[in-house]
Amino acid sequence: MGNRVWLVTGASRGIGAEIAKAVLATGDTLIAAARTPSTLAFLGSSDRLLPVRLDVTDSVQAADAVAAGIERFGQIDILVNNAGISFLGAVEETSADDVKRLFETNVFGLLNVTRAVLPHMRGRRRGHIVNIASVAGYSGYAGFGVYSGTKFAVEGLSEALQLELAPLGVNVTIVEPGFFRTDIL
């Protein structure tokens, strides 16, 4: 341990914050991404920590965050696509704008960051992408239909990515947390 470089999106709270703390506790290096980098102050200061501004819906910010991490640490070994939002409401009552916002963050945002880091991982012929999905991507739940739709999409994309990238030395893991308290709502 102590020699891997992680990029964790949504590192300012919830699962992302816990992963970020665990990465630093192991002695590994962390590129901690959040829409507002000042929210990462709880991680402290370290030469193994690079806080970066990243709204995953912005492909330019995704490319900039990856470039900053590679410039500072020379590599990215593990990408954790954790940033996400939720929405509570019946499918028929969910506005088109809310549906778009969920898919832009949970699906297209994940793709923005993944596409930004993949040329680097492919070039090194190694890496690991961890996509945080949800049990809601395994089974739909009343009141979470649109959220479930985004997580089903993450599941399908991740399964296909694993098949595409395994021959290149890059692995993909899907994490499907169940119900527990975070402030995602």
Side-chain angles (χ1 to χ4, degrees), residues 2-15:
N3 57 0
R4 296 174 300 182
V5 178
W6 297 62
L7 168 56
V8 178
T9 68
S12 63
R13 56 183 213 234
I15 293 171

Side-chain angles (χ1 to χ4, degrees), residues 1 22 59 142 146:
M1 295 296 169
S59 61
V146 176

